[in-house]
Amino acid sequence: MSMILHKAMMTLGGTPPPIDPYFANVVSLMHYETSLLDQKGLVWSSGAGTPTITTSSPLVGIGSLLCSTACIKAAGSTSYCINAGADFTIEISVKFNSLPSGDTATLASMYNGSGAGWSLQFRNDSPGSRLQVNLTGDTGTSSMPWSPSTGVKYDIAISRVSGQIYWFVNGVSLGSPTANSDGGNVAATNIAIGGLDFSGFIQLCNAVIDEWRLTFGVGRYDANYTVSLPFPDS
């Protein structure tokens, strides 16, 4: 599989709007321009803390989600589970305001206890600074060394293709893919962006977040690609 290139729709007298050939596989898509509108219909609200839409130096467009140790959440279901062996892609733009010291910043999650659910994290604990994805609660783990800085925008993509997880920042691979076919259905729980919010267990990040897209059934990338933002709405 080669990297995905956006196709175009012909229009009269203007730049053709981009089209996502896998839009039907997208289960959540957000731009944070003026609200928590999800283009795929998920209803989001404040989770832990007080997340806000900020128009001050947005990462993309006119607004971004400010998660100063706060997150947003939506009611989850099996529709948002990462199934064992299934291809998927998680994409998110982030600018860290601060980095955890010996700890974890969860960027997105659907966590239902130590043995179920998924999460995407930046971890700054042993064995070192890294991106990490957990696909069965606290296990089913794959990670890739990564050392971000504060105040810098990063476009992160995690893509599983045929049991191999590929790691990208700003369209550039972080290293060789890691083998991982974990996952599974979990009982209904919150899906969260900007953190993890489950039954009183809170794990947040201090960051500005933008351009969120969750795609199931398709691993979009297995080679370096050119990031194109904002993501298409069709």
Side-chain angles (χ1 to χ4, degrees):
M1 185 193 78
S2 62
M3 67 180 184
I4 301 303
L5 298 176
H6 291 310
K7 298 179 181 177
M9 174 191 301
M10 293 306 297
T11 59
L12 296 176
T15 302
I19 287 182
D20 179 0
Y22 296 111
F23 189 74
N25 294 82
V26 176
V27 297
S28 180
L29 171 62
M30 302 182 74
H31 305 298
Y32 309 109
E33 294 297 81
T34 58
S35 69
L36 299 180
L37 175 67
D38 192 308
Q39 301 296 325
K40 301 298 284 192
L42 262 176
V43 178
W44 295 85
S45 61
S46 294
T50 308
T52 59
I53 300 294
T54 178
T55 57
S56 176
S57 301
L59 304 187
V60 182
I62 62 172
S64 294
L65 178 67
L66 177 59
C67 293
S68 297
T69 57
C71 70
I72 61 173
K73 64 182 181 180
S77 73
T78 55
S79 298
Y80 308 106
C81 296
I82 294 176
N83 292 319
D87 290 355
F88 68 87
T89 310
I90 302 172
E91 296 168 277
I92 191 169
S93 297
V94 61
K95 180 179 73 173
F96 291 103
N97 296 321
S98 65
L99 298 172
S101 177
D103 207 344
T104 300
T106 297
L107 300 176
S109 65
M110 185 178 168
Y111 182 84
N112 198 37
S114 60
W118 57 265
S119 57
L120 172 62
Q121 303 172 328
F122 167 68
R123 300 190 67 116
N124 201 17
D125 55 4
S126 179
S129 176
R130 65 201 184 277
L131 272 178
Q132 180 164 305
V133 63
N134 308 306
L135 297 177
T136 49
D138 294 333
T139 59
T141 295
S142 289
S143 64
M144 182 63 64
W146 183 50
S147 298
S149 300
T150 57
V152 178
K153 172 179 170 285
Y154 298 103
D155 300 313
I156 296 170
I158 310 298
S159 175
R160 182 160 73 185
V161 182
S162 300
Q164 298 288 322
I165 294 181
Y166 295 81
W167 309 79
F168 300 93
V169 172
N170 300 335
V172 178
S173 172
L174 291 180
S176 299
T178 53
N180 188 322
S181 294
D182 291 313
N185 287 337
V186 300
T189 186
N190 292 326
I191 179 171
I193 298 174
L196 183 155
D197 186 352
F198 169 72
S199 191
F201 178 51
I202 309 297
Q203 195 175 68
L204 304 172
C205 66
N206 184 6
V208 179
I209 287 173
D210 215 321
E211 291 305 301
W212 156 261
R213 184 167 66 180
L214 180 61
T215 308
F216 285 169
V218 175
R220 290 178 178 269
Y221 317 109
D222 64 358
N224 292 352
Y225 65 99
T226 300
V227 177
S228 179
L229 300 175
F231 295 131
D233 289 336
S234 61

